Amino acid sequence: MADQPSGTGHPAGNAPAPNAPAPNAPAPKPTVRANGSSGKARYPAKYSALSLFTHGLRGRDWPRMWRRHEMRPSYDVVIIGAGVHGLATAYYLAANWGVTNVAVLDKGYLGGGGSGRNTAIVRANYLTPEGVRFYDRSVKLYENLAADLNFNVMYSQRGHLTLAHNDSSLRTMRWRAEVNKLEGVDSEVIGPDEIKELVPYMDTSENTRYPILGALYHPPGGIIRHDAVNWGYARGADIRGVHIHQETEVVGIDVEAGKVTGVQTSRGRIATPVVVNCTAGWASLISDMAGVKMPIITHPLQAAVTEPVKVFLNAVVVSGTLHVYVSQTDRGELVFGASTDPYASYSTRGSLEFTEELAGHILELMPSISKMRVLRQWAGLCDITPDFSPIMGVTPVEGFLADVGWGTYGFKAGPVAGESMAELIATGVTPELIASFDLARFAEGRLVGEKGAAAVGH
Amino acid sequence: MILVSCPWCGPRNSSEFRYVGESKGRPDPNAATPEEWRRYLYVKSNPADWATETWYHRAGCRRFFAVERHTVTNEIRETRRPAAQLRLEGGGS
Ligand SMILES: Cc1cc2nc3c(=O)[nH]c(=O)nc-3n(C[C@H](O)[C@H](O)[C@H](O)COP(=O)(O)OP(=O)(O)OC[C@H]3O[C@@H](n4cnc5c(N)ncnc54)[C@H](O)[C@@H]3O)c2cc1C
Ligand SMILES: [Zn+2]
């Protein structure tokens, strides 16, 4: 009896989805544990230092962060994809607009796409005024997210450095700094001496292969705990009545006379007048089902993490020229990323050439970490658009909405995209903040070019 | 690393090549409307399936050729000279 696994999940754990029940699992029976306490716990839990303390004293289990529901035959809104975008859209629909008859469907588990695989960099130092305003709103929402969700998302605004190793990238950095300042975003170009002060372990000498000429320094940029963001939004949406259906694959979208009427899933049909496509790397497959063509190419993006060491790196460092970026987590691991794999693919296999290239380039920046060992590497799918800006809002099919084109940079946009999409769904009016990211811009030649700020630095 | 077989040079590491993209017919630049031209530039079919693509042997013979690749498994079932090249050489179709 003592070692019997309890049926309830714990709010923090290493498994990707701590509360994802096995398919068709029977409802968990309350179990009696060694200390005699019942596994049943009241939902929802309020997280605080006091509740942590009393739970510790009583040996009580925490309730699940989100529940499992029967699928209804119809919903007011169906969101495809339980990544940060789908979950944030559901959360803001319920929290800001009181729209709660909402389902979020995912063919796999919650956060199993890019939202659980990214390197969690959050920043607003983009290149276009439209982009800077949009991502800055997300930074603001992230700053208050832990309080909003009653969930620690571990947002650390430790500063973000984009290195320039040649004149042309230094020019782009100056351009970005000026656009940022005009939009009220803290960014400035700094020289090698200041860089050395911020990152003492970086080789800023002049006799390297690609000497560092300067950097765009963006103090509010930083990293966040991506799983916590996904789980926090899921929990917040669930508390307000949203249904999250994992292991529910969308296989078709019903369109009649130019309007969405429902979705076909692996668990049956759902009638709905509104479908939101939040499927990132799979976005064009879903929009094909509705007959909407998307200018998207899916590329894998890889990342890697080392064994943990004492904290020595306090900023996020990106080098476009060397195709590499690095940050250190609170646990001490170095997290590395690079550019996307060089050909379109839906495969999430890692490759040796990625790690080889990455290691070579990172050592040009920080030769002293040559003895550190890589623990693991992984890949996720990225939906790349021609201008490196997202595709948001209405499509030619009424009721079929897009929140896609997030490429290698969409995690940071989760809050602002969710907030904006929720407003669009609730009011029927496209918010000003996302108006220039519409699908029609490609046919009309109004691209929002962000390549200079988004190709390597995610 | 996937292995790509150049029709001229034989099998080489994919890092020797540049992936150009899905092959598709180009509209006549003089006749196409701006909308048609932009659709040609931007919209791809992005299949999770077999795809016909153009690759370029950058670190080799520097020629373009056609590749049949499955985008989920990355298996390559065929590489061949592009139709235009075959016409130039007076062979094939
Ligand atoms: C290695 C890596 C590093 C990255 N680093 C950063 C970074 O530092 N900063 C940043 O801002 N961004 C980063 N990104 C990008 C970011 O991860 C994504 O843009 C973002 O997570 C997209 O979120 P999403 O919710 O739109 O999609 P996802 O989280 O990908 O979720 C899409 C979901 O749709 C589901 N789905 C697909 N098809 C179907 C179907 N037919 N039926 C039902 N469900 C379906 C999938 O299972 C998946 O869970 C990185 C990405 C990767 C891969
Ligand atoms: Zn060749």
Side-chain angles (χ1 to χ4, degrees), chain B residues 6 8-9 57 60-61:
Chain B
C6 170
W8 289 278
C9 312
H57 198 180
C61 63

Side-chain angles (χ1 to χ4, degrees), chain A residues 284-409:
Chain A
S284 69
L285 305 175
I286 295 290
S287 66
D288 284 351
M289 292 177 191
V292 175
K293 275 281 157 212
M294 284 284 171
I296 280 176
I297 308 179
T298 297
H299 279 264
L301 176 66
Q302 300 188 50
V305 67
T306 66
E307 59 192 342
V309 295
K310 193 172 162 184
V311 172
F312 69 93
L313 177 62
N314 290 316
V316 180
V317 177
V318 183
S319 166
T321 303
L322 295 173
H323 295 281
V324 72
Y325 62 90
V326 57
S327 69
Q328 188 169 21
T329 68
D330 293 324
R331 268 198 302 239
E333 304 136 325
L334 292 183
V335 178
F336 300 124
S339 336
T340 54
D341 285 3
Y343 42 84
S345 180
Y346 287 86
S347 158
T348 46
R349 285 185 67 158
S351 64
L352 180 61
E353 73 259 28
F354 164 79
T355 350
E356 276 181 327
E357 254 172 57
L358 182 97
H361 285 152
I362 199 70
L363 290 181
E364 291 190 47
L365 291 180
M366 294 183 197
S368 53
I369 63 169
S370 65
K371 292 284 189 303
M372 283 184 74
R373 282 170 296 197
V374 170
L375 282 189
R376 53 181 187 276
Q377 74 183 97
W378 65 92
L381 301 184
C382 296
D383 41 339
I384 312 281
T385 61
D387 58 0
F388 288 72
S389 283
I391 304 171
M392 301 180 74
V394 297
T395 69
V397 171
E398 201 181 320
F400 182 65
L401 304 177
D403 175 22
V404 302
W406 293 111
T408 62
Y409 43 81

Side-chain angles (χ1 to χ4, degrees), chain A residues 83-85 106-107 114-115 118-121 250 280 408-412:
Chain A
V84 70
H85 282 265
D106 201 291
K107 66 174 177 165
S115 299
N118 65 85
T119 46
I121 296 170
V250 172
T408 62
Y409 43 81
F411 193 79
K412 71 179 67 62

Side-chain angles (χ1 to χ4, degrees), chain A residues 244-268:
Chain A
I244 298 168
H245 298 295
Q246 304 184 73
E247 294 171 317
T248 306
E249 178 167 6
V250 172
V251 293
I253 296 175
D254 299 338
V255 178
E256 277 165 40
K259 281 188 191 170
V260 163
T261 57
V263 295
Q264 304 286 345
T265 81
S266 54
R267 292 168 58 202

